[in-house]
Amino acid sequence: MKALPPETVRLLCSSQVITSVLNVAKELVENALDAGSSSLEVKLENYGLDRIEVRDNGSGIKATDVPVMAVNHYTSKISCHEDLERLETYGFRGEALASICAISEVVITTKTADDDFSIQYSVDHNGQIVSQKPSHLGEGTTVCAANLFKNLPVRRQYYSNTKKCKEELKRVQNLLMAYAVVKPELRITLSHNKAVVWQKSRVSDHRTALMAVLGAASVANMLPVQHHQEQPEIGIDGFLPKPGSDFNSTSSSTPEKTFIFVNSRPVHHKEILKLIKQYYTTAQSNKESVNRRYPFLMMNITIPASTVDVNLTPDKTEVMLQNKEGVLLAVETMLISLYGYSIDNDNLKTGGNRPGVSSVNAPEHTNVVPTPTTDISLDDPELLEISPTNADKQDCELSLSNTANTSSSSISEDWVINRSSSDFDSINSSLPADDVVMNSTADLNCNSPKASKSDSGPGQESEVSAESWSTGKAFSNQVTGECLEPVKLHVPKAHEDLGGTQPTSTRSGPSKRPSNVIMEKMAKLTAYELISNRSVRQPSSAFSLFEQDTRSQVLQENPRASPQDVTTAVKERWESLGEEDSKKYETKAEKSLNAYNLQRKRAAEGGGQCGEAKKQMSAESSLNKAQGVKRKAPLTNQQGLDKLFSSQPSSKRSPAKPSKPLPFSIATLKQSLNLLSYQNSSSAQGLRLVNRLASHGAWVVLCGRKLMLLNPFRVEEALLFKRLLENNILPTVRLQTPVQLTDGVLGGPENMDVLLNMEKDSACFNGDIYFTDPRLVANGFEIKMIPGSSSSERHVEVTGMADCMPFFGIGDLREILQAIKVRDAKTVEQCRPLKVSNYLESEAVRLARQLPLNLTRGDVTNTLCRMKQELEEESQVCIHRRPFFHDLVTVPETEQDAQQIMSNSC
């Protein structure tokens, strides 16, 4: 035999401590918590394989501890094994950083309150510091582990599967959620590849922390629980699901959200989890569906540190309890106080998991006095094995008495039942659960004799024949004489028999199918269809219209119904619907289909017009090509304009072309410009059109002594958008179900007052009053008021709404009312919601693109005049914030200026 090299020993030991990305994150997070940090940032790259960084704001590492901070078995948390009995930290072995250094590249940055600045240390695989340099980070410690498992290729190959990498990231998130629940004051941020995956801010209590992890809907169905006793010293605090709550919102198929802590340490304890599942399943009405689900809960068990051993596994997630029976009894007592009592046949058979303690428990302050007439027979023959063995002991005494110095409170009365052994096959099967108190500390003791088997010996057993075994008559109850059935067969009912024949429905409604089986994909994936850049609402079938009307009624009748139950109830009502009602919904479906076809036709016609415009553009472009004009890019190609007006370096300029000298003089140019100025003295803003740049559709204009290039299409976009903001009225579609407006819906009574003060029409013959204020009508809202004798009897509702924009609704109405209340908006333009403004911008761009490519001089002059009248001088940009004009050159004053410009250009 030979001793292994120290490096091999270190690698082998480290690979047992650090087995996954989760282990690295857990060790670093626990070190940060032990340092007293209140903020944690966990950053992963490539699911943690390339980089894991954990940053905290704790106390930092002292300068005297830095040389050995990553050396194996060096720690500041304990000094000897006796300190384990007073352990208050998560870590204590001094193996985490040393193990991480052995399988990755580690860089540690730390700063204490006494240090002037932080220092970054690079650590080798032996835990020794190889380099250091100052850093900009603040107080706390940042540990970065790169290239994880680089010297363990098989383990790194394990994460080559993307599915496994995503599962590992989910485990890291669940770990951080556990610490977030048990430490509400902790701020946590988890990011992957520089994208935030999950984060939690600092909160004040455990309930708010649970809301950040589970959601408000799940926490609303949970109750706070407490249990405290002195001997043995056990305390339990947490939150558990309410009895009878919806299991879809309070449980899941995996135990990821079942948070169990021992002294604030997240652990996996199978016996406690099994006990919780047992009582949670008992409290649910649908036990078959809940049987394999794990409830959402948070349970922190506080016991003396000397009675728990956390040094069982490298990840410290499994613990050994010295007084396990007492802890299980305390947990069970608390569960009974919340969910009530249920008989477990296994516990009755074996006398329970805890010696001398029956599985029968009662909640605190619950006074129970059973009478001899209360009999519920137990058909299970195993109950016969609990009868006493000695003939002289004919009575079984079950007492519930006050426990001395064991809990903070006790039962007010004693429960004594004296029953003979012949009557022991009858027992009270349930306890009253009306007066349940959360703080339950009562214990229940059974002083009954030990159970034993029947007195019949092996020789008295009769031989079992194959025929009696096959017919189910091999064994019988010794008291009743009935045959024992080892398996209970659940025969499905007639309407649940999937294999049987079902009566076919004469209507077009959905056939009966099991609600938990997905037979086919939904045909209607979205509520809108995009046709020629216009959203068109999908047609509704007769059943979908009936479902919209009926679903709310089903929920009002049974608020606790699950989505599957609601769907089943709606289908049953549809199948039992009368012919007249069925025809009514079929007529509505036909109208919906006709409206859809009409909108589709309109959208197609709009697309046809766009197609004709494109054909015209292509025809004109072919004409330009025939005339020898080269078009490098379309008119709206901004890249072409930017390329034209941008200054290129001399190295990228095209080679000089042959030129021909022309006679030129400044005097002649001045004379021509003066003549042009006289002819266009009435032009807008002093702009004078010079000529059209045929290659790009732009125009050269003169403003004073500056030559500029004008893009008329940008001016038309801005003018069209302004005109649409002022005058466009969105088409309104009548709602099938009006939306009632209240103070809460509108965001407060102030908004309701603003709405009631807006312009209204005179009352109709039925007394209804419609709002005619242009600020509402132009934005696509049709609102009706039904007056009453008082303000409480007055009803205001939205009867129509624009459907040209997706997700347009009451939120946009609140935006209009806010603009009137805050900014005192008087015009329609000032009251446009953001969605309407964006929609009108797209419409302005679409209309501007339908303009002819070659605008005449008169058209451009008209555009400039309208720009002067309608647009402000400082708003010389289009919808996309691009300028109307591009400066070309300034006309020189003298001959010397002209020669200087020519020399510079050469």
Side-chain angles (χ1 to χ4, degrees):
M1 294 185 182
K2 295 182 180 179
L4 292 175
E7 295 182 358
T8 305
V9 174
R10 188 178 300 107
L11 180 60
L12 293 176
C13 296
S14 301
S15 61
Q16 291 181 347
V17 177
I18 305 299
T19 59
S20 62
V21 176
L22 175 65
N23 293 134
V24 179
K26 184 176 186 298
E27 296 292 345
L28 297 180
V29 167
E30 289 183 348
N31 283 346
L33 296 178
D34 290 338
S37 60
S38 61
S39 177
L40 274 179
E41 294 183 19
V42 181
K43 301 179 182 179
L44 306 180
E45 293 183 7
N46 189 21
Y47 302 98
L49 297 177
D50 292 349
R51 181 185 177 89
I52 302 177
E53 180 179 315
V54 177
R55 179 177 300 177
D56 64 71
N57 62 345
S59 58
I61 304 175
K62 297 179 181 180
T64 55
D65 297 334
V66 166
V68 294
M69 62 181 176
V71 179
N72 203 8
H73 302 307
Y74 275 80
T75 180
S76 60
K77 299 166 186 178
I78 63 172
S79 57
C80 59
H81 67 279
E82 286 85 1
D83 293 342
L84 293 175
E85 298 182 359
R86 301 177 297 273
L87 188 64
E88 296 180 356
T89 57
Y90 290 104
F92 53 88
R93 289 196 291 248
E95 296 178 347
L97 279 178
S99 301
I100 296 173
C101 290
I103 58 174
S104 63
E105 301 173 359
V106 177
V107 176
I108 303 174
T109 306
T110 184
K111 178 183 181 295
T112 63
D114 300 331
D115 296 336
D116 297 332
F117 53 88
S118 59
I119 300 179
Q120 183 183 94
Y121 301 94
S122 298
V123 187
D124 62 5
H125 297 302
N126 298 324
Q128 303 297 327
I129 298 175
V130 295
S131 64
Q132 67 182 43
K133 61 181 180 179
S135 175
H136 67 283
L137 298 180
E139 183 178 351
T141 304
T142 302
V143 181
C144 176
N147 297 326
L148 193 65
F149 302 130
K150 67 173 186 178
N151 47 2
L152 296 173
V154 177
R155 191 164 298 179
R156 191 175 179 90
Q157 179 68 22
Y158 173 81
Y159 292 101
S160 60
N161 190 351
T162 307
K163 180 180 179 181
K164 294 179 180 178
C165 292
K166 292 181 178 180
E167 291 176 353
E168 194 70 13
L169 178 61
K170 186 66 176 177
R171 293 190 189 99
V172 174
Q173 180 179 348
N174 294 332
L175 173 71
L176 296 178
M177 286 181 175
Y179 290 115
V181 168
V182 76
K183 292 185 175 294
E185 71 282 358
L186 185 64
R187 174 186 173 273
I188 300 179
T189 302
L190 172 63
S191 58
H192 176 247
N193 292 341
K194 299 182 180 180
V196 177
V197 178
W198 180 78
Q199 61 182 356
K200 169 199 162 288
S201 59
R202 299 184 182 95
V203 294
S204 57
D205 53 5
H206 294 287
R207 176 182 286 275
T208 312
L210 277 173
M211 292 178 62
V213 174
L214 303 178
S218 299
V219 178
N221 291 321
M222 301 178 74
L223 290 175
V225 293
Q226 283 185 345
H227 178 96
H228 296 283
Q229 64 185 44
E230 297 179 359
Q231 190 65 32
E233 184 180 352
I234 298 174
I236 303 176
D237 301 278
F239 289 82
L240 286 101
K242 295 179 181 178
S245 58
D246 184 16
F247 68 89
N248 290 316
S249 61
T250 58
S251 63
S252 65
S253 57
T254 58
E256 296 174 352
K257 302 299 175 60
T258 304
F259 301 112
I260 300 176
F261 305 91
V262 174
N263 294 340
S264 300
R265 182 189 299 274
V267 298
H268 303 303
H269 202 287
K270 295 182 179 179
E271 297 183 32
I272 295 178
L273 183 60
K274 181 180 179 182
L275 202 60
I276 293 172
K277 281 189 61 180
Q278 171 188 334
Y279 280 90
Y280 173 74
T281 305
T282 304
Q284 299 296 325
S285 57
N286 191 0
K287 296 181 177 56
E288 295 181 359
S289 302
V290 190
N291 190 23
R292 295 186 178 181
R293 297 182 68 88
Y294 297 86
F296 295 160
L297 62 91
M298 176 262 180
M299 180 184 293
N300 187 15
I301 302 173
T302 305
I303 56 178
S306 59
T307 62
V308 57
D309 184 6
V310 298
N311 194 19
L312 293 182
T313 57
D315 56 359
K316 300 186 284 291
T317 57
E318 296 183 7
V319 296
M320 180 178 293
L321 304 177
Q322 182 178 359
N323 189 18
K324 183 178 70 173
E325 303 300 332
V327 173
L328 293 177
L329 177 61
V331 172
E332 187 173 8
T333 304
M334 185 193 65
L335 292 173
I336 289 177
S337 69
L338 180 62
Y339 297 124
Y341 163 72
S342 67
I343 295 180
D344 188 355
N345 290 339
D346 294 336
N347 286 343
L348 288 176
K349 175 180 177 181
T350 60
N353 294 329
R354 298 171 295 281
V357 180
S358 171
S359 64
V360 182
N361 290 285
E364 181 191 8
H365 301 312
T366 304
N367 301 328
V368 184
V369 184
T371 61
T373 58
T374 305
D375 264 6
I376 298 178
S377 61
L378 300 177
D379 297 333
D380 194 348
E382 297 175 350
L383 293 177
L384 299 176
E385 301 175 359
I386 309 180
S387 59
T389 56
N390 300 329
D392 55 343
K393 298 181 180 179
Q394 297 295 329
D395 295 337
C396 175
E397 179 175 310
L398 181 64
S399 64
L400 176 65
S401 59
N402 295 338
T403 306
N405 299 326
T406 58
S407 62
S408 58
S409 59
S410 59
I411 304 300
S412 59
E413 293 187 15
D414 294 342
W415 182 23
V416 181
I417 306 176
N418 294 321
R419 304 296 299 272
S420 62
S421 60
S422 60
D423 294 333
F424 196 78
D425 57 310
S426 300
I427 191 171
N428 186 18
S429 63
S430 64
L431 296 178
D434 298 334
D435 191 12
V436 178
V437 182
M438 291 300 109
N439 299 316
S440 174
T441 55
D443 302 334
L444 189 65
N445 300 323
C446 181
N447 300 324
S448 60
K450 296 181 179 180
S452 65
K453 294 289 181 181
S454 177
D455 294 335
S456 59
Q460 297 177 357
E461 295 180 356
S462 59
E463 184 179 358
V464 179
S465 62
E467 182 179 359
S468 62
W469 177 267
S470 61
T471 56
K473 300 179 180 179
F475 302 100
S476 61
N477 193 326
Q478 298 180 4
V479 177
T480 61
E482 297 178 355
C483 297
L484 299 181
E485 296 182 3
V487 178
K488 183 179 179 181
L489 301 179
H490 297 273
V491 180
K493 298 180 182 179
H495 65 278
E496 296 177 353
D497 189 3
L498 302 179
T501 59
Q502 298 288 344
T504 58
S505 176
T506 58
R507 293 187 296 274
S508 60
S511 59
K512 282 191 174 181
R513 288 174 180 168
S515 59
N516 60 342
V517 178
I518 300 176
M519 305 298 294
E520 60 185 6
K521 294 183 178 180
M522 296 290 291
K524 183 179 177 183
L525 296 179
T526 58
Y528 292 88
E529 183 179 359
L530 191 65
I531 301 177
S532 299
N533 294 331
R534 184 175 181 181
S535 57
V536 180
R537 184 184 292 273
Q538 291 274 15
S540 302
S541 63
F543 174 73
S544 62
L545 295 172
F546 173 78
E547 185 180 12
Q548 293 175 4
D549 298 341
T550 312
R551 181 174 287 271
S552 59
Q553 300 176 5
V554 175
L555 289 175
Q556 289 178 358
E557 296 173 0
N558 187 11
R560 294 188 177 183
S562 63
Q564 295 179 354
D565 297 338
V566 174
T567 304
T568 305
V570 171
K571 291 180 181 179
E572 292 176 356
R573 294 190 183 188
W574 169 260
E575 293 175 355
S576 61
L577 195 65
E579 292 294 334
E580 295 182 359
D581 296 335
S582 176
K583 289 182 180 179
K584 180 178 69 173
Y585 283 104
E586 289 177 357
T587 304
K588 290 183 179 180
E590 185 176 357
K591 291 181 179 180
S592 176
L593 181 60
N594 294 337
Y596 168 75
N597 293 333
L598 180 61
Q599 293 180 355
R600 187 182 181 91
K601 183 178 179 181
R602 290 177 180 175
E605 290 176 356
Q609 294 177 1
C610 294
E612 293 178 1
K614 291 181 179 178
K615 290 181 180 179
Q616 182 182 359
M617 291 171 61
S618 61
E620 292 183 359
S621 63
S622 61
L623 179 61
N624 291 336
K625 288 183 180 179
Q627 295 176 356
V629 180
K630 259 188 179 179
R631 290 286 300 275
K632 293 185 179 179
L635 286 174
T636 58
N637 191 350
Q638 181 61 26
Q639 296 178 355
L641 292 176
D642 295 339
K643 182 178 179 181
L644 177 65
F645 300 128
S646 62
S647 59
Q648 299 180 353
S650 58
S651 58
K652 294 185 178 180
R653 291 176 183 173
S654 57
K657 295 182 180 179
S659 59
K660 181 180 179 182
L662 296 176
F664 173 79
S665 66
I666 294 297
T668 307
L669 178 61
K670 286 183 178 181
Q671 184 179 1
S672 301
L673 292 178
N674 292 332
L675 179 61
L676 184 63
S677 176
Y678 174 77
Q679 294 175 353
N680 299 279
S681 58
S682 61
S683 60
Q685 295 183 359
L687 297 175
R688 297 179 290 277
L689 296 178
V690 177
N691 204 345
R692 174 176 170 269
L693 189 62
S695 60
H696 291 82
W699 281 78
V700 179
V701 296
L702 178 66
C703 182
R705 308 204 65 82
K706 286 187 178 181
L707 284 177
M708 298 184 295
L709 200 64
L710 168 68
N711 189 335
F713 299 97
R714 294 181 180 177
V715 182
E716 288 292 341
E717 280 185 4
L719 293 173
L720 285 170
F721 177 59
K722 183 174 179 59
R723 191 182 308 167
L724 291 174
L725 282 177
E726 295 174 351
N727 305 322
N728 186 70
I729 299 177
L730 299 180
T732 305
V733 177
R734 184 63 62 91
L735 299 178
Q736 295 181 358
T737 304
V739 181
Q740 186 174 358
L741 299 179
T742 61
D743 295 346
V745 173
L746 292 179
E750 298 85 2
N751 291 344
M752 177 62 77
D753 296 337
V754 171
L755 177 62
L756 295 178
N757 292 330
M758 298 180 75
E759 184 181 352
K760 295 180 283 292
D761 197 2
S762 58
C764 302
F765 66 94
N766 57 355
D768 297 343
I769 301 175
Y770 284 85
F771 287 80
T772 58
D773 195 293
R775 293 171 292 184
L776 296 176
V777 178
N779 288 310
F781 285 101
E782 180 182 307
I783 303 177
K784 179 180 68 174
M785 183 177 69
I786 304 174
S789 58
S790 62
S791 59
S792 60
E793 297 179 0
R794 179 186 58 210
H795 296 283
V796 182
E797 57 186 20
V798 179
T799 58
M801 199 178 299
D803 66 338
C804 54
M805 295 165 291
F807 311 107
F808 186 75
I810 304 301
D812 303 279
L813 177 60
R814 288 197 297 266
E815 191 174 344
I816 296 173
L817 299 178
Q818 282 291 328
I820 298 174
K821 183 182 72 172
V822 178
R823 302 194 301 268
D824 194 19
K826 301 294 185 182
T827 63
V828 176
E829 181 181 2
Q830 297 172 346
C831 294
R832 293 290 190 183
L834 181 60
K835 292 179 184 176
V836 177
S837 299
N838 294 336
Y839 169 73
L840 295 179
E841 282 185 1
S842 63
E843 287 295 305
V845 173
R846 182 178 63 84
L847 294 174
R849 290 180 178 178
Q850 297 179 7
L851 295 174
L853 297 178
N854 299 321
L855 296 176
T856 62
R857 182 181 292 271
D859 295 336
V860 179
T861 304
N862 183 26
T863 300
L864 293 177
C865 292
R866 287 187 289 115
M867 180 187 70
K868 179 181 179 181
Q869 297 173 1
E870 300 178 15
L871 298 180
E872 300 176 358
E873 295 183 1
E874 57 269 16
S875 60
Q876 299 291 329
V877 292
C878 68
I879 296 175
H880 307 94
R881 314 305 300 173
R882 293 174 179 172
F884 297 156
F885 301 96
H886 291 270
D887 294 338
L888 294 179
V889 70
T890 301
V891 177
E893 288 283 347
T894 60
E895 291 287 344
Q896 290 101 3
D897 296 338
Q899 293 178 1
Q900 185 177 0
I901 292 175
M902 293 178 63
S903 62
N904 292 337
S905 62
C906 295

